[in-house]
Each structure stands twice: as structure tokens, then as C-alpha cells.
């Protein structure tokens, strides 16, 4: 209950920011691809016409199942990854109006485009989560909860789906892990009470720590940068992860990360918009 009133105030603030259009970036450009649009009962579905060879920098078919993107997706990008067999687009929640990276939160037009292509979606929350101070700032949980809840409402995220929280550093000492646990101890119950499953994006040490104490519901999403971090190799060797991120690439002019989904898990929190 100690977070209730501050969270309500912060939720109202972020909701007003969203309503005022502070999160809106320019709409996704009109497609110049050879995709085919087909009418459905509710919307227009886009079916890409796939080339025999993947565009330069884009994946060949069947290698990856998900991509995460921290900038606006385009029709050309969605054509390329759809043709490669990718079925899940991962985008970001951040503080509306105060994003740590311009374009990190998808626009309405972008989200509609992802839906038209028939992708699943996943969201990960990050707001300077590479800084350890994020996890020691006592005001952060209430602000982060409010931002996540406002955006989940905006995009119609359903109960039972997942929200990942970034832990973007090798915070493996006893004091560091205690701070991360305390942060999740405040934020996870609020999201779980709202009906969402909580996951962690980061390295092995915090993956194991948070799963052990019940702060996360989903198998860990292992960051590409964490492969040399504490306990990450052990988690990978034990096949105890949900998603594994690869190094950053450029595909169709957009910077993104490719991800494999562990076939051991059918549910990593993805949902169909």
C-alpha cells in the first residue's frame, strides 16, 4: 500500500502525457515493397512477397523467431523479417514524454502496422536500466509501475501476457543483487496483481536470483551483451532461458537485435494485438 498513492499520481501523469501526444513520433512511411494488402473483417492484412534471397544484413529463413527494435519499424523491415520466419516483434516501454532514446515507444501507426503484418508482440521496459542507480533510487518503482501501466492500457496489452524489465548491467555483487531484488520486490507484485507476467532481460546472475525468489514468472531473456557476465554461461549451458539475444545488426536500414526462442518454452509472454 505504500506505493498506492504515488503510483496513482504517476499513472495519471503518464496517462496525460500519452493523451497529449508527447509519445507520438512521425507515422511509419508508406511501403515501397511488393507486399500484398488483403481486406479482413476488421482491418487490412499485409502479406509480403518474399524474394528468393534475404536482403543484405537481414536473416535467412528459419534462423530467428523474434527481433527487438528500439526505433520505429518500417514496412521494408517487416517484409524482411516476416519472410525470414520471425513471428514476434519486441518493442519498448519507457517513460512517456521522457524516453531514454527517441522513438523507443512505438507510435499508434507503427503498432497498427505490426498488427497488420500479423506479428506477435512483446514489450520490455527500459529507462536507463544500464545504470545501477536505477535500482537504488527509491522513487523509481512507483514511477516505472505507472509508466508501464499507462502504456499497457494504451496498447491494449491483455492479462496473462508478459512484460520484461531490463537489468542491463553485470550487477552481481551481494549488495548489487540485493538492490535489484528490492526493486523487483516493489515492481513485480504490482504488475502481477494487474494480471501480467514478469520477465527479466539481462544476465545469468540476476536471472537465477529473481527466479529463485519468485520475482519473475517468465524464463529469462539473455542479453547479447551479457554472455561474458556472471553466471550467464551456466544458464545457457543448463538450457534455463526463454530467449537468447544475438548481436546488433542492420536490416532494411533499421538497427535491431535477432533473438532465438528456446523451443523448451511455448510461452515467453508474447501476445497477438
Amino acid at each position: 500500500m505504500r506505493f498506492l498513492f504515488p503510483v496513482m499520481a504517476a499513472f495519471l501523469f503518464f496517462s496525460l502525457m500519452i493523451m497529449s501526444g508527447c509519445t507520438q513520433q512521425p507515422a511509419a512511411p508508406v511501403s515501397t515493397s511488393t507486399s500484398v494488402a488483403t481486406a479482413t473483417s476488421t482491418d487490412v492484412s499485409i502479406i509480403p512477397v518474399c524474394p528468393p534471397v534475404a536482403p543484405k544484413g537481414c536473416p535467412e529463413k528459419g534462423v530467428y523467431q523474434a527481433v527487438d527494435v528500439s526505433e520505429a519499424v518500417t514496412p521494408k523491415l517487416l517484409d524482411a523479417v516476416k519472410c525470414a520466419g520471425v513471428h514476434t516483434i519486441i518493442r519498448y516501454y519507457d517513460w512517456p514524454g521522457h524516453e531514454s532514446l527517441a522513438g523507443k515507444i512505438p507510435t499508434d501507426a507503427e503498432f497498427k502496422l505490426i498488427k497488420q503484418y500479423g506479428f506477435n508482440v512483446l514489450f520490455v521496459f527500459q529507462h536507463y536500466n544500464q545504470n545501477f542507480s536505477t535500482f537504488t533510487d527509491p522513487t523509481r518503482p512507483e514511477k516505472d509501475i505507472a509508466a508501464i501501466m499507462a502504456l499497457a492500457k494504451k496498447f491494449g496489452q491483455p492479462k496473462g501476457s508478459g512484460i520484461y524489465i531490463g537489468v542491463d548491467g553485470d550487477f552481481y555483487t551481494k549488495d548489487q543483487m540485493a538492490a535489484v531484488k528490492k526493486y523487483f520486490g516493489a515492481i513485480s507484485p504490482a504488475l502481477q496483481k494487474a494480471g501480467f507476467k514478469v520477465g527479466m532481460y539481462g544476465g545469468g546472475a540476476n536471472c537465477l536470483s529473481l527466479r529463485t525468489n519468485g520475482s519473475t514468472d517468465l524464463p529469462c531473456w539473455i542479453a547479447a551483451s551479457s554472455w561474458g557476465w556472471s553466471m550467464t554461461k551456466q544458464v545457457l549451458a543448463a538450457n534455463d532461458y526463454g530467449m537468447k539475444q544475438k548481436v546488433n545488426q542492420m536490416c532494411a536500414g533499421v538497427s535491431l537485435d535477432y533473438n532465438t526462442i528456446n523451443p523448451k518454452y511455448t510461452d515467453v509472454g508474447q501476445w497477438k494485438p
Side-chain angles (χ1 to χ4, degrees):
M1 291 297 293
R2 61 196 178 107
F3 289 112
L4 180 58
F5 294 110
V7 168
M8 289 177 66
F11 175 79
L12 178 60
F13 171 76
F14 284 126
S15 296
L16 290 172
M17 295 294 289
I18 290 172
M19 292 172 66
S20 68
C22 289
T23 63
Q24 295 301 308
Q25 304 295 327
V30 176
S31 176
T32 57
S33 71
T34 55
S35 301
V36 177
T38 62
T40 68
S41 59
T42 58
D43 213 330
V44 174
S45 297
I46 299 175
I47 303 173
V49 177
C50 301
V53 179
K56 184 178 180 180
C58 298
E60 296 295 336
K61 189 169 184 177
V63 180
Y64 303 107
Q65 297 78 50
V67 297
D68 63 277
V69 192
S70 59
E71 59 184 274
V73 301
T74 64
K76 284 186 176 181
L77 172 68
L78 296 181
D79 281 348
V81 296
K82 187 77 171 182
C83 288
V86 167
H87 55 67
T88 300
I89 303 293
I90 305 169
R91 292 293 274 114
Y92 287 80
Y93 286 161
D94 199 337
W95 286 11
H98 301 277
E99 296 163 272
S100 55
L101 190 67
K104 203 169 184 181
I105 300 171
T107 64
D108 291 342
E110 181 189 353
F111 191 70
K112 180 180 179 181
L113 190 64
I114 292 170
K115 178 180 178 180
Q116 288 175 319
Y117 272 84
F119 285 105
N120 298 322
V121 294
L122 262 177
F123 280 101
V124 53
F125 175 82
Q126 289 182 323
H127 185 75
Y128 300 108
N129 289 33
Q130 76 276 17
N131 297 333
F132 181 61
S133 59
T134 290
F135 304 101
T136 58
D137 181 350
T139 71
R140 278 298 300 264
E142 63 197 45
K143 293 176 182 177
D144 294 350
I145 291 166
I148 292 168
M149 295 297 290
L151 289 167
K153 181 179 180 180
K154 170 183 169 68
F155 291 113
Q157 180 163 352
K159 293 182 179 181
S161 61
I163 297 171
Y164 286 81
I165 310 295
V167 182
D168 295 73
D170 192 12
F171 307 133
Y172 66 92
T173 68
K174 182 178 179 180
D175 289 345
Q176 287 174 330
M177 292 179 70
V180 173
K181 279 185 180 180
K182 185 176 181 179
Y183 170 87
F184 272 82
I187 202 169
S188 293
L191 299 182
Q192 290 162 339
K193 185 177 180 179
F196 301 117
K197 297 176 182 177
V198 179
M200 188 223 68
Y201 166 86
N206 283 293
C207 164
L208 294 173
S209 171
L210 294 169
R211 288 194 71 185
T212 299
N213 78 350
S215 291
T216 56
D217 310 292
L218 296 167
C220 303
W221 176 15
I222 298 298
S225 58
S226 78
W227 288 28
W229 294 357
S230 176
M231 297 301 293
T232 296
K233 289 181 180 178
Q234 288 89 331
V235 170
L236 292 174
N239 201 31
D240 191 21
Y241 65 91
M243 294 190 292
K244 181 170 60 175
Q245 187 184 60
K246 301 291 186 178
V247 293
N248 183 266
Q249 300 284 339
M250 290 291 293
C251 174
V254 177
S255 175
L256 77 167
D257 300 303
Y258 299 127
N259 295 268
T260 56
I261 296 178
N262 191 337
K264 178 179 174 181
Y265 298 101
T266 57
D267 178 16
V268 291
Q270 72 273 31
W271 54 282
K272 185 77 73 174

